[in-house]
Amino acid sequence: GGGLFAKIMSEHSDVILADISQESIEKAKTYIGKDPESVLIPEDPTDVDIPETPIDLIFSHTVIHHFPSFNYWLKVFDIWTQRIQPEYFALQIKIEDETKERTDYFQEDNYLNALYLNENEFVEMFDEAGYKQVNASYKINKYKNPDLVMKVGYFVFEKK
């Protein structure tokens, strides 16, 4: 993304930028004014080269809902929890009563709201992977159309 949170975090710690777009990575580097380590995520995330640098925290804000499918999310989740295994996660997701993905992902701007996750299943996945939820907060986004409401969840998990 644009690097707003990376800039804030880079003032207090080392960061590793990760994105599917080299352009986004370069944009974030310019924004934060540093040249941190970066990882370009391939189309199949299981092919990603994991940095050797130990990672304490995976921070993902306004990213997961852009994933093209639930299967893609599962691949990323496995990489995070099985290969990287940080001490903490700080994640933002869009929440629905049941997990759902857009079938028309590549049409118009559908990638903006492509994946919604069921909160209980989301938290349970982390629990089963050895992480406990230590914090959660929520925001309700309302639109001009009163029938359009989006619940956004912010979660912090810590390794058990």
Side-chain angles (χ1 to χ4, degrees):
L4 173 64
F5 288 108
K7 180 178 174 76
I8 294 166
M9 294 173 81
S10 72
E11 294 170 1
H12 306 283
S13 65
D14 294 329
V15 297
I16 300 172
L17 303 173
D19 204 294
I20 61 169
S21 162
Q22 186 64 42
E23 181 180 344
S24 291
I25 289 172
E26 296 307 319
K27 186 178 179 181
K29 286 180 180 182
T30 300
Y31 184 74
I32 65 176
K34 297 179 182 179
D35 190 18
E37 187 173 354
S38 62
V39 176
L40 184 62
I41 310 293
E43 188 173 327
D44 181 352
T46 58
D47 293 333
V48 69
D49 291 325
I50 304 296
E52 292 184 23
T53 306
I55 298 172
D56 300 319
L57 166 69
I58 292 180
F59 180 86
S60 175
H61 186 266
T62 63
V63 173
I64 295 171
H65 62 269
H66 292 298
F67 287 0
S69 68
F70 185 68
N71 187 47
Y72 186 94
W73 157 243
L74 292 176
K75 289 178 181 181
V76 171
F77 178 81
D78 284 345
I79 292 164
W80 286 354
T81 59
Q82 304 302 313
R83 291 175 56 192
I84 299 174
Q85 300 181 351
E87 289 297 314
Y88 299 95
F89 287 92
L91 309 171
Q92 179 261 341
I93 63 168
K94 292 186 178 176
I95 299 171
E96 279 284 342
D97 291 337
E98 60 185 58
T99 295
K100 67 179 184 179
E101 61 185 52
R102 297 296 293 253
T103 56
D104 53 355
Y105 180 81
F106 293 103
Q107 295 177 4
E108 299 178 19
D109 290 337
N110 292 339
Y111 68 93
L112 295 173
N113 296 302
L115 182 64
Y116 291 81
L117 298 173
N118 172 279
E119 177 181 357
N120 292 333
E121 291 171 3
F122 178 75
V123 171
E124 187 175 304
M125 284 176 68
F126 279 92
D127 182 59
E128 290 174 358
Y131 290 86
K132 65 181 178 180
Q133 179 183 332
V134 294
N135 198 352
S137 63
Y138 306 91
K139 177 181 177 187
I140 304 296
N141 292 336
K142 296 183 181 178
Y143 300 92
K144 291 179 184 177
N145 177 344
D147 294 332
L148 295 177
V149 176
M150 181 187 314
K151 185 176 180 182
V152 178
Y154 302 87
F155 298 86
V156 177
F157 298 96
E158 178 181 24
K159 192 180 279 188
K160 294 179 188 178

